[in-house]
Amino acid sequence: MEINVLLVDDEAIDLEWLRRRVVSHEHLPIHSVTTASSGFAALKILEQSPVDIILSDIRMPILSGTEFARQAKARNPNVHIVFISGHQDFGYAKEAIEMNASGYLLKPVEDGELNAALTGLCAKIEQERNQHNSLTETMSLVNQELLLRWFNEPAPGDVETHIRALLAPVMQAGTAVAILEIDDIAWKLRQSSEDERRSWTNRASHFIRKFAQDHQLGMAMATYDYHFVIVASVQEPYFSALLEELIRAFRETFSYTVTIGTGMYTTEFDKLHDSYRQARAALSIKWILGKNRLIQDASEWRPKERIASNLEEIVDRMLKAMLEYDLTAIDDCLLQLFDGDSPPSQKNEIYDLIIRITSKLHADLRQMNEHLYEILNWDSHQPFVLFQFETVHDILSWLRRRFFELSELLYMKRQKQKRKLIAEITEYVQGRLEQKITLNEVAARFNFTPNYLGQLFKAETNSLFSDYLNELRMKRVCELLEDPTKKVYEIAEQVGYKNIIYFNRQFKQVMGMSPGEYRKKRKI
């Protein structure tokens, strides 16, 4: 057995003195003794090298010994910390006790006290390692299979005698079950070959087992469909911290995420099965709570049982938002359907909800001579793809992209239709400038109400229909005035004006001069 010790003190003389005394204990299995002159330097060492025991001065500038210890425990929950201080700092002892420190020595430290502290910690570390090894190394694949089978029995009997004997060490100190699931991996690897999937799975499995072994987390057993069961061999406060670290480390290593559900800590075999069921229940609500996280308690969550009663009204608002290309309003409607007062809690409810939404959208669009499935280029069974997703958030993201796409396509199509309509209207008007043209006449020709056509024309051309018509007529008048053989009254009649006085007034209002002045100015 090899044990690594880290000494931390901002006083160089005290630090060297302590190092020599620790090194002199040749009867202890101390492999290395590293020193750091500040808490910050010590934290860097912890990130780079394994450390089992820390002896730290409790009073240091900037980063105190107790604050350093908190951060050290966060990085390595299994490390044992002994504080060293003078008599005047004994008030820190209470804080050290609250931090569950492994010891507290007063300066000047006597050789006997230092030896007793180191000897006791080495023995404790050896016991912890033996306990961990007894769980991870002697549990054969057959025994793992038997344990997993017992976990999955709906009404479990007594644990097999030999499994009981193997679990006894961790049961005495208390243990819990956690279930880990690799997120989205089944469908993300569906395009990979069988060999590629097997290779990836083996690497992921090796990583999880090695992490559990290196951090003395507990026994990690592969089960089914990228799931792992972990039986804790560390104290309860450190189990969650190590699982959080496993989630982070896996994401950084594989660019995939994992979600872990945990059960209660117990020292009773009967309740260990309950811990497994609690872990499974916690993992099951990943569907609602989201992935890439640690879920520790499913008991406080209660699913809603009904879908929003005003679904049709919400879908009507969402369709209106789609036609207006209002993405914010579309998103608000989706959130109301999925995250409102009565969000669906089961996958079959999600499926029913999406079928109802898409069916209503399709029916409403058919009234507008539009076809939902043709616009999006999908068939009516497309929502089945949603069952590859593992959380409501994933499904909501998928629907949001599809409905944003639908809104854009509808908007572009309607804009194209409007531009075509305006072009047809202007062509119609230009061909009839010699006649009396009114908005009512044009609206009737194109099967619109005058009010709607007037609003549409204003929105698309930024001009009133009457102003556009006058401008078009005056432009035609100016072209005709270029011909000196034409009389002004003849030109007025040609562009639809029967009253020459009204014509002159209109021309002057638009051009700022009379038709005669226009010709005179242009020397016609």
Side-chain angles (χ1 to χ4, degrees):
M1 182 179 71
E2 295 181 346
I3 292 178
N4 302 304
V5 180
L6 173 61
L7 310 176
V8 189
D9 198 319
D10 61 313
E11 294 290 341
I13 296 177
D14 291 347
L15 187 62
E16 176 60 21
W17 171 83
L18 183 60
R19 186 194 69 80
R20 293 186 181 186
R21 295 178 67 191
V22 172
V23 170
S24 67
H25 290 76
E26 297 179 353
H27 63 286
L28 297 176
I30 296 177
H31 174 255
S32 68
V33 179
T34 309
T35 62
S37 59
S38 70
F40 295 109
L43 290 174
K44 289 184 179 179
I45 293 173
L46 280 171
E47 293 174 352
Q48 299 170 357
S49 307
V51 175
D52 302 295
I53 299 173
I54 295 175
L55 274 68
S56 174
D57 184 16
I58 203 166
R59 173 176 288 193
M60 293 187 293
I62 305 178
L63 186 66
S64 68
T66 52
E67 179 58 30
F68 155 69
R70 287 192 184 91
Q71 296 190 33
K73 281 284 190 180
R75 287 167 169 77
N76 181 3
N78 295 316
V79 70
H80 295 269
I81 300 177
V82 176
F83 288 115
I84 301 174
S85 76
H87 285 279
Q88 69 273 21
D89 299 323
F90 194 69
Y92 286 111
K94 180 180 178 181
E95 191 172 359
I97 291 172
E98 292 175 351
M99 292 182 58
N100 198 26
S102 299
Y104 196 94
L105 300 174
L106 290 176
K107 294 179 180 180
V109 181
E110 296 182 0
D111 287 337
E113 291 179 349
L114 180 60
N115 179 67
L118 291 174
T119 300
L121 286 176
C122 288
K124 186 174 183 180
I125 291 170
E126 182 176 8
Q127 180 184 3
E128 291 173 349
R129 290 183 181 178
N130 290 336
Q131 175 179 301
H132 176 76
N133 292 336
S134 69
L135 185 65
T136 56
E137 294 179 4
T138 62
M139 181 68 84
S140 66
L141 292 176
V142 174
N143 288 336
Q144 289 185 28
E145 181 62 30
L146 290 174
L147 179 59
L148 291 172
R149 188 177 301 174
W150 178 75
F151 276 144
N152 285 287
E153 289 178 1
D158 292 336
V159 186
E160 296 287 342
T161 304
H162 58 289
I163 295 180
R164 178 183 288 268
L166 291 171
L167 290 176
V170 293
M171 294 302 302
Q172 291 176 0
T175 187
V177 177
I179 302 178
L180 179 151
E181 179 181 19
I182 303 176
D183 301 323
D184 303 320
I185 196 64
W187 67 268
K188 285 184 177 179
L189 292 182
R190 67 183 182 276
Q191 301 297 333
S192 303
S193 67
E194 182 65 28
D195 289 341
E196 289 172 335
R197 287 196 296 270
R198 186 183 300 109
S199 174
W200 193 95
T201 303
N202 289 339
R203 287 190 295 111
S205 179
H206 174 74
F207 177 88
I208 292 169
R209 288 193 173 96
K210 188 174 186 305
F211 182 96
Q213 181 177 355
D214 291 346
H215 294 79
Q216 300 179 31
L217 173 64
M219 175 180 57
M221 301 174 286
T223 58
Y224 64 95
D225 295 339
Y226 309 103
H227 286 68
F228 294 80
V229 172
I230 300 173
V231 180
S233 64
V234 293
Q235 297 177 18
E236 185 173 359
Y238 305 136
F239 190 45
S240 297
L242 286 172
L243 292 176
E244 294 277 12
E245 175 62 20
L246 173 56
I247 292 172
R248 183 196 64 78
F250 192 93
R251 182 178 66 249
E252 291 183 354
T253 302
F254 293 98
S255 297
Y256 286 92
T257 62
V258 297
T259 303
I260 302 177
T262 64
M264 65 179 176
Y265 255 76
T266 181
T267 57
E268 302 176 31
F269 279 98
D270 293 340
K271 291 185 178 179
L272 184 62
H273 189 273
D274 293 334
S275 180
Y276 173 82
R277 295 178 63 183
Q278 289 173 354
R280 190 168 59 183
L283 186 61
S284 71
I285 62 173
K286 176 181 85 168
W287 168 247
I288 299 297
L289 299 185
K291 55 197 171 186
N292 187 32
R293 59 180 298 168
L294 180 65
I295 305 174
Q296 295 179 282
D297 187 4
S299 63
E300 296 183 0
W301 180 81
R302 293 290 182 271
K304 305 287 184 179
E305 296 182 354
R306 62 184 180 84
I307 294 175
S309 58
N310 58 339
L311 179 140
E312 291 194 0
E313 184 269 329
I314 297 173
V315 176
D316 285 340
R317 284 194 284 109
M318 186 162 61
L319 177 58
K320 182 175 182 294
M322 287 178 180
L323 296 175
E324 295 174 355
Y325 200 30
D326 187 346
L327 303 185
T328 300
I330 296 172
D331 191 47
D332 289 341
C333 291
L334 284 172
L335 290 175
Q336 188 173 354
L337 288 168
F338 287 88
D339 287 341
D341 294 333
S342 303
S345 58
Q346 302 295 330
K347 282 193 175 182
N348 63 323
E349 291 183 7
I350 289 284
Y351 180 73
D352 290 343
L353 174 60
I354 291 169
I355 290 298
R356 290 176 62 182
I357 292 172
T358 54
S359 296
K360 177 167 174 48
L361 281 176
H362 179 58
D364 291 345
L365 286 170
R366 290 298 293 161
Q367 297 295 319
M368 306 176 188
N369 294 321
E370 300 288 0
H371 196 291
L372 170 68
Y373 305 117
E374 288 181 358
I375 294 173
L376 287 178
N377 193 29
W378 66 1
D379 57 52
S380 59
H381 300 292
Q382 184 75 9
F384 278 115
V385 74
L386 300 171
F387 280 82
Q388 75 182 9
F389 300 130
E390 297 181 352
T391 68
V392 173
H393 180 268
D394 293 336
I395 289 179
L396 185 56
S397 296
W398 185 86
L399 274 179
R400 183 181 290 113
R401 290 195 299 272
R402 298 289 79 77
F403 286 169
F404 282 4
E405 179 185 2
L406 174 60
S407 177
E408 182 176 11
L409 292 173
L410 284 172
Y411 179 79
M412 292 176 63
K413 187 173 183 179
R414 287 167 66 86
Q415 290 300 107
K416 185 176 180 180
Q417 291 172 341
K418 288 179 181 178
R419 287 192 294 269
K420 182 180 179 182
L421 174 63
I422 296 301
E424 291 176 352
I425 290 174
T426 55
E427 182 179 358
Y428 176 81
V429 170
Q430 287 174 352
R432 288 162 177 77
L433 284 177
E434 297 180 3
Q435 305 172 17
K436 183 180 180 181
I437 303 175
T438 65
L439 179 61
N440 289 345
E441 176 194 347
V442 176
R445 171 66 178 78
F446 289 93
N447 297 317
F448 291 107
T449 65
N451 185 50
Y452 175 78
L453 184 61
Q455 293 178 357
L456 177 63
F457 196 90
K458 176 68 166 60
E460 293 301 309
T461 65
N462 199 30
S463 175
L464 294 173
F465 179 80
S466 57
D467 292 341
Y468 169 77
L469 181 59
N470 286 334
E471 182 180 344
L472 196 62
R473 278 176 166 166
M474 290 303 113
K475 183 178 180 181
R476 178 61 176 153
V477 166
C478 290
E479 293 175 354
L480 295 174
L481 286 172
E482 298 290 329
D483 184 355
T485 64
K486 290 184 179 292
K487 307 295 184 183
V488 171
Y489 70 89
E490 294 175 338
I491 294 174
E493 291 180 355
Q494 190 171 339
V495 294
Y497 287 96
K498 304 304 180 182
N499 188 318
I500 188 63
I501 297 176
Y502 179 72
F503 166 72
N504 282 328
R505 186 180 295 117
Q506 287 289 104
F507 187 89
K508 189 169 185 179
Q509 182 178 346
V510 173
M511 304 302 298
M513 63 187 78
S514 67
E517 291 172 337
Y518 178 86
R519 277 183 162 175
K520 185 176 181 180
K521 184 176 181 179
R522 300 179 69 86
K523 298 180 180 180
I524 298 172

